[in-house]
Amino acid sequence: MTILAEKGGVSRAAFLEFLNDSVMGSVYSRYKSPALVNLDFTPTFTMPLLRKDFDLGLAAARELEVPMPLAAATAQLVAGAIGAGHVEEDFAALIVEQARNSGITLEAQNFPVDDGLSPHA
């Protein structure tokens, strides 16, 4: 949704502020918003770690005969991001690959964004 909004002319900062102020916002979406707006992919959880977790979950799903089509598709996106070199970055760098696949190049917006965790003055 963030890339769709940006390609439609809405800044990532504005879209994520709207999302975070809606019923769809969460502690997690607020926490990741600064990284997505300012393209700061200092690792908190890397793509290889995320791929490992998907692999474990999908293996359990196969063993229990539970279809997981969305998880399988997402695992492929993570694998593609790893193949594109996003190995040491936070998994939020998936946004860069989604933008590239959508024909746009992201730039950091250098905009202060509340992460929902920092104390307010």
Side-chain angles (χ1 to χ4, degrees), residues 87-99:
V87 177
E88 299 295 325
E89 298 169 305
D90 189 76
F91 74 94
L94 281 166
I95 195 171
V96 172
E97 290 304 302
Q98 179 64 22

Side-chain angles (χ1 to χ4, degrees), residues 9 25 28 34 46 48 55 60 70 73-74 86 90-91 110 121:
Y28 183 76
T46 63
D55 289 346
L70 295 177
T74 304
H86 301 283
D90 189 76
F91 74 94
N110 299 317

Side-chain angles (χ1 to χ4, degrees), residues 6-75:
E6 182 155 348
K7 194 161 185 180
V10 177
S11 75
R12 287 188 310 281
F15 173 75
L16 289 165
E17 180 180 12
F18 166 79
L19 177 78
N20 290 333
D21 288 342
S22 78
V23 297
M24 296 300 293
S26 67
V27 171
Y28 183 76
S29 67
R30 283 176 192 82
Y31 168 68
K32 281 298 180 189
S33 288
L36 297 175
V37 169
N38 298 311
L39 305 181
D40 176 2
F41 303 127
T42 302
T44 59
F45 197 71
T46 63
M47 299 281 187
L49 290 173
L50 184 57
R51 178 178 54 190
K52 174 194 62 81
D53 286 355
F54 271 107
D55 289 346
L56 291 169
L58 290 168
R62 277 188 298 279
E63 183 178 317
L64 297 170
E65 306 273 343
V66 176
M68 302 285 290
L70 295 177
T74 304

